[in-house]
Amino acid sequence: LIERGWIETFTEAGDEHSLEKKDNYCLSATVARRLFYGIVRIPYHSTVSKLGTFVLNKDIEPKPLFFNDSDSPQINQLYELADPRKYAQITSALEARGLRSSMTVILYGPSGTGKTELVRQVAHRTGRDLLMVDAAKIYGSYWGEDERNVRALFRMYRHIEALSDHAPILFIDECDGILGRRASNITTRGDRSNNVVQNMLLEELNRFHGLLFVTTNDISNIDPAMDRRFLLKLKFHAPDAQTRVRIWRSLVPDP
């Protein structure tokens, strides 16, 4: 909330009448606490239930993951970059250069290579909560619902971020349609929906502060404007023979 310009500082607990002023906004301590209480209950908001799931860090079960030796360095780098201390250094450096203070990552590769579970484990290891969204659920059945869903999703993330010790991870899964090139000649409702969602997503990314992870099976047809919004693109490969042996050994108990 401080970063969004709502309040300069928080008042001491019990100071019921103090006002904090920032950019012509005033918020009493009492109203602030009531507002925060409402935000805390956001995980149960109907929008979250419809679009995805909010997962607290403490509820993420740690799991061993196995990747090809050639992919391991980039996986370790991702853990390192999402670490709160390293993340703070990166965002501060970006802000100093007049850039967006966010970490946006595309994980791409064949299905079943561990992209989705990796995001969960990054959240667990770095102490971050997780807002998980199915990209297909962003598209609505009624006129204007696509736009409202995108707006509501990022508004929800900002609310959760304001209450978190560490910025949560916004995770949009299966983004093949969203990342693809926008249609120049709109002939179907599907073309219009894709263009609307992409345009809204690009607009939100221009002012995004936090961590965004998306997954897709293929980025060969990614829209150029969308491509420029992501700092990291990590490719996943199907497990080789050595990795498959490690997976099986983890699943089958020793005799």
Side-chain angles (χ1 to χ4, degrees), residues 181-230:
R181 294 179 183 272
R182 285 168 288 181
S184 55
N185 296 318
I186 299 177
T187 57
T188 66
R189 185 185 182 280
D191 290 339
R192 179 197 173 276
S193 293
N194 276 332
N195 282 12
V196 166
V197 169
Q198 283 198 19
N199 290 336
M200 297 290 291
L201 184 58
L202 289 170
E203 182 180 337
E204 290 290 348
L205 288 178
N206 284 336
R207 56 181 180 178
F208 181 72
H209 298 270
L211 294 93
L212 171 67
F213 287 71
V214 305
T215 64
T216 180
N217 295 333
D218 182 21
I219 63 167
S220 59
N221 193 43
I222 188 172
D223 189 272
M226 193 69 70
D227 184 65
R228 293 192 295 269
R229 290 338 191 259
F230 286 88

Side-chain angles (χ1 to χ4, degrees), residues 19-255:
L19 292 175
E20 302 301 330
K21 191 170 184 180
K22 175 69 173 177
D23 298 337
N24 296 323
Y25 288 102
C26 290
L27 196 64
S28 72
T30 302
V31 173
R33 280 191 286 275
R34 290 176 180 173
L35 174 63
F36 297 159
Y37 175 75
I39 294 176
V40 168
R41 299 180 62 183
I42 270 180
Y44 307 100
H45 193 281
S46 60
T47 302
V48 173
S49 301
K50 181 173 68 173
L51 297 180
T53 307
F54 179 71
V55 184
L56 294 173
N57 172 264
K58 64 183 181 65
D59 294 331
I60 300 176
E61 180 183 354
K63 292 183 179 180
L65 298 179
F66 303 92
F67 299 98
N68 297 342
D69 291 340
S70 58
D71 292 337
S72 294
Q74 67 176 4
I75 304 300
N76 295 332
Q77 182 186 39
L78 188 61
Y79 280 115
E80 180 184 357
L81 294 176
D83 179 80
R85 291 186 180 181
K86 188 67 174 180
Y87 172 77
Q89 294 174 0
I90 294 173
T91 53
S92 296
L94 291 172
E95 287 181 348
R97 290 166 174 77
L99 302 174
R100 293 186 304 276
S101 57
S102 61
M103 181 183 295
T104 49
V105 184
I106 295 179
L107 309 179
Y108 68 100
S111 299
T113 51
K115 300 185 296 294
T116 299
E117 187 58 41
L118 176 62
V119 178
R120 293 176 58 87
Q121 295 308 309
V122 168
H124 170 76
R125 187 178 297 187
T126 59
R128 301 182 187 278
D129 297 330
L130 186 62
L131 180 56
M132 302 180 63
V133 179
D134 183 352
K137 294 182 179 180
I138 294 177
Y139 298 94
S141 303
Y142 304 101
W143 183 269
E145 192 173 1
D146 304 338
E147 297 97 315
R148 288 194 296 272
N149 286 341
V150 175
R151 293 288 192 204
L153 172 61
F154 281 87
R155 184 169 60 249
M156 198 74 61
Y157 177 86
R158 289 191 290 270
H159 288 169
I160 297 171
E161 179 201 13
L163 281 181
S164 303
D165 294 331
H166 305 303
I169 294 176
L170 174 57
F171 175 39
I172 308 178
D173 203 9
E174 302 292 343
C175 285
D176 299 72
I178 293 178
L179 298 178
R181 294 179 183 272
R182 285 168 288 181
S184 55
N185 296 318
I186 299 177
T187 57
T188 66
R189 185 185 182 280
D191 290 339
R192 179 197 173 276
S193 293
N194 276 332
N195 282 12
V196 166
V197 169
Q198 283 198 19
N199 290 336
M200 297 290 291
L201 184 58
L202 289 170
E203 182 180 337
E204 290 290 348
L205 288 178
N206 284 336
R207 56 181 180 178
F208 181 72
H209 298 270
L211 294 93
L212 171 67
F213 287 71
V214 305
T215 64
T216 180
N217 295 333
D218 182 21
I219 63 167
S220 59
N221 193 43
I222 188 172
D223 189 272
M226 193 69 70
D227 184 65
R228 293 192 295 269
R229 290 338 191 259
F230 286 88
L231 293 176
L232 297 175
K233 305 175 187 68
L234 304 184
K235 184 176 182 179
F236 289 69
H237 300 86
D240 56 24
Q242 184 179 3
T243 305
R244 290 198 297 271
V245 169
R246 293 202 297 264
I247 294 173
W248 275 109
R249 284 178 175 172
S250 70
L251 297 174
V252 179
D254 294 332

